[in-house]
């Protein structure tokens, strides 16, 4: 008789860890399966996480208090999930794990900025993504060389790989507005004499304290906000970058010349997970679909749960709340 | 020079990296609340002077100052009725922007 787990959690990001931590604390037998060689997912590489100001690493550490009770498999590839009456067999790196429930917490993929060719990512080294900016702060390095000027200019381009039908992305990635403003403030802190301009389509400050973040960036940090999408980034004089856009609030085309551009890249649906060789149901944006209007973590397969950003773009706070909800749902399912 | 019978149009785009924003810096230092403008346009919609066909436009003026662009509103048109401030969701004293511009112009004349 093979050992029967209570839950196999696919994805060792914050959603998977939060759920695993809670279930382990409640004495459930849990296996966490992570594709990368370390746990923590995308959040582990963020330098600061809004609104609590923790580093990604600190946040992940807070979610691992009881994880020694769970089995964690890194560098793992899920080969197959098969239903066998009231349990599932999950094959990970060729080894079979029997379990009562499976939680899909595979998170999201980052948009590949190379696809937006007009923005010059991969062509001009001074065009970086929001992820590279976080990595630079993590490594205590300055993301842009500004040794030739006293008053550098930077541009932050919102909605790269969000709300863009040409890239087959119709959804809004939701968190980049806040991350873009946070990036502007951080640039201002690291380069005190700089001028930062955020190029946005809409600023969707949807939650409490986000509007204050925007207000604070305007009034305390003098960040400039231009409503207009960048049509083209090209090489200007002295190795600087030339940005073309329209200031849509004035109806005037504008040209900016900057020392660095940060592209706020959006969230894309994660890789497909198959159950009994069939894809899980997806919504119109390619993220996993919840099958029940009340219970946000159910799928059409009893015993297969979903949580976190694999259901759609989510903030850290929302992901953690969702993961806590799914922990209760799994606990109840296993008890019955 | 031979005339070919066509005219060229002047370039419309503005290089915002080389505009002069000193006036904005001066006004926003004295009135930091202007920096928090959301550009919603309620002030302009409430403005009877804008509605009577002038170019007076609070929202536009704040952006033009911020970018260091030419100001298209004639501040002298403002009647200081304060309707713009009444509807401002951020509670800005929006008519003050014209008040400051008039004061600035008067100071320059003296």
């Amino acid at each position: 008789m093979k050992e029967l787990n209570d839950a196999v959690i696919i994805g060792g990001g914050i959603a998977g860890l939060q759920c695993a931590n809670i279930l382990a604390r409640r004495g459930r037998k849990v296996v966490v399966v992570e594709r990368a060689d370390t746990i923590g997912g995308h959040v582990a590489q963020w330098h600061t996480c809004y609104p609590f100001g923790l580093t990604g690493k600190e946040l992940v550490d807070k979610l691992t208090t009881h994880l020694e009770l769970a089995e964690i498999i890194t560098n793992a590839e899920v080969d197959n999930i098969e239903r066998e009456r009231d349990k599932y067999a999950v094959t990970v790196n060729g080894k079979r794990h029997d379990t009562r429930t499976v939680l899909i917490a595979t998170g999201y993929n980052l948009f590949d900025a190379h696809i937006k060719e007009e923005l010059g990512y991969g062509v001009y080294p001074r065009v970086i993504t929001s992820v590279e900016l976080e990595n630079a702060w993590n490594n205590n390095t300055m993301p842009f060389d500004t040794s030739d000027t006293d008053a550098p200019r930077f541009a932050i381009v919102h909605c790269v790989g969000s709300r863009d039908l040409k890239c087959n992305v119709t959804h809004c990635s939701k968190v980049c507005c806040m991350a873009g403003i946070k990036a502007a403030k951080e640039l201002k802190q690291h380069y005190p004499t700089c001028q930062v301009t955020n190029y946005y389509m809409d600023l969707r400050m949807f939650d409490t304290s986000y509007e204050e973040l925007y207000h604070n960036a305007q009034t305390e940090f003098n960040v400039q906000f231009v409503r207009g999408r960048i049509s083209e980034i090209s090489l200007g004089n002295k190795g600087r970058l030339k940005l073309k856009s329209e200031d849509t609030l004035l109806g005037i085309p504008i040209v900016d010349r900057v020392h660095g551009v940060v592209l706020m890249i959006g969230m894309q649906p994660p890789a497909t997970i198959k159950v009994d060789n069939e894809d899980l149901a997806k919504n119109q944006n390619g993220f996993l679909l919840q099958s029940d209007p009340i219970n946000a973590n159910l799928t059409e397969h009893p015993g297969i749960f979903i949580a976190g950003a694999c259901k759609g773009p989510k903030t850290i706070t929302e992901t953690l709340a969702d993961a806590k909800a799914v922990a209760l749902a799994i606990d109840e399912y296993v008890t019955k | 020079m031979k005339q070919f019978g066509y005219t060229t149009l002047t370039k419309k785009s503005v290089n915002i990296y080389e505009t002069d924003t000193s006036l904005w810096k001066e006004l926003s230092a004295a009135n930091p609340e202007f920096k928090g403008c959301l550009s919603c346009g309620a002030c302009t919609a409430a403005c009877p002077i804008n509605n009577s066909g002038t170019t007076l436009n609070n929202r536009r003026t704040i952006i033009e100052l911020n970018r260091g662009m030419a100001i298209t509103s004639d501040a002298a048109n403002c009647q200081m009725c304060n309707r713009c401030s009444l509807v401002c969701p951020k509670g800005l004293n929006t008519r003050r922007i014209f008040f400051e511009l008039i004061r600035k112009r008067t100071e320059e004349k003296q």
Side-chain angles (χ1 to χ4, degrees), chain A residues 149-164:
Chain A
T149 177
D150 298 331
R153 290 182 69 89
F154 301 117
I156 291 175
V157 182
H158 288 240
C159 299
V160 178
S162 296
R163 304 170 72 198
D164 191 338

Side-chain angles (χ1 to χ4, degrees), chain A residues 64-294:
Chain A
T64 55
T65 49
H66 289 74
L67 273 197
E68 70 278 0
L69 302 171
E71 183 186 347
I72 295 174
I73 312 170
T74 50
N75 292 315
E77 205 66 52
V78 175
D79 306 319
N80 204 6
I81 303 175
E82 260 177 80
R83 185 165 181 192
E84 293 175 352
R85 284 194 297 276
D86 60 342
K87 64 186 176 69
Y88 289 90
V90 185
T91 317
V92 181
N93 291 350
K95 186 172 174 254
R96 180 184 158 134
H97 297 262
D98 287 328
T99 177
R100 296 286 308 281
T101 64
V102 179
L103 170 62
I104 317 281
T106 44
Y108 58 91
N109 285 340
L110 288 160
F111 179 78
D112 178 9
H114 290 96
I115 295 170
K116 294 289 292 172
E117 282 180 343
E118 65 270 36
L119 300 181
Y121 179 71
V123 180
Y124 309 120
R126 283 174 185 271
V127 179
I128 66 171
T129 65
S130 41
V131 178
E132 288 163 36
L133 187 76
E134 292 288 334
N135 288 341
W137 302 145
N138 268 337
N139 300 332
N140 276 323
T141 52
M142 296 296 249
F144 301 113
D145 173 24
T146 56
S147 50
D148 60 339
T149 177
D150 298 331
R153 290 182 69 89
F154 301 117
I156 291 175
V157 182
H158 288 240
C159 299
V160 178
S162 296
R163 304 170 72 198
D164 191 338
L165 204 57
K166 280 257 192 72
C167 300
N168 200 16
V169 184
T170 47
H171 65 271
C172 161
S173 288
K174 201 174 174 181
V175 301
C176 341
C177 281
M178 281 58 74
I181 295 178
K182 183 184 73 114
K185 286 170 71 169
E186 284 167 348
L187 280 172
K188 202 86 184 178
Q189 282 162 345
H190 286 80
Y191 301 88
T193 57
C194 77
Q195 171 65 54
V196 188
T197 310
N198 284 46
Y199 290 89
Y200 66 94
M201 294 205 284
D202 285 305
L203 283 174
R204 298 183 160 178
M205 302 284 134
F206 62 93
D207 212 342
T208 52
S209 83
Y210 295 160
E211 194 63 36
E212 284 75 5
L213 176 78
Y214 174 33
H215 181 80
N216 179 256
Q218 281 183 307
T219 53
E220 301 293 323
F221 289 83
N222 298 317
V223 177
Q224 202 172 41
F225 289 88
V226 176
R227 185 177 181 276
R229 203 169 164 95
I230 301 291
S231 71
E232 181 189 340
I233 296 179
S234 55
L235 203 58
N237 291 349
K238 299 179 193 164
R240 283 164 206 181
L241 297 165
K242 195 173 138 187
L243 279 71
K244 275 181 162 178
S245 65
E246 188 200 13
D247 193 328
T248 58
L249 295 174
L250 294 177
I252 297 175
I254 56 174
V255 176
D256 203 348
R257 209 172 77 183
V258 298
H259 297 80
V261 175
V262 181
L263 306 178
M264 302 308 302
I265 49 175
M267 296 185 189
Q268 299 268 283
T272 311
I273 293 272
K274 284 183 193 291
V275 177
D276 283 343
N277 293 319
E278 260 183 59
D279 286 359
L280 286 171
K282 290 174 183 168
N283 63 20
Q284 65 271 36
N285 303 113
F287 290 93
L288 298 180
L289 187 69
Q290 73 182 61
S291 64
D292 186 282
I294 307 293

Side-chain angles (χ1 to χ4, degrees), chain A residues 4-22:
Chain A
L4 185 63
N5 294 296
D6 289 315
V8 167
I9 297 176
I10 302 174
I14 54 165
L17 293 181
Q18 165 90 316
C19 181
N21 206 32
I22 294 169

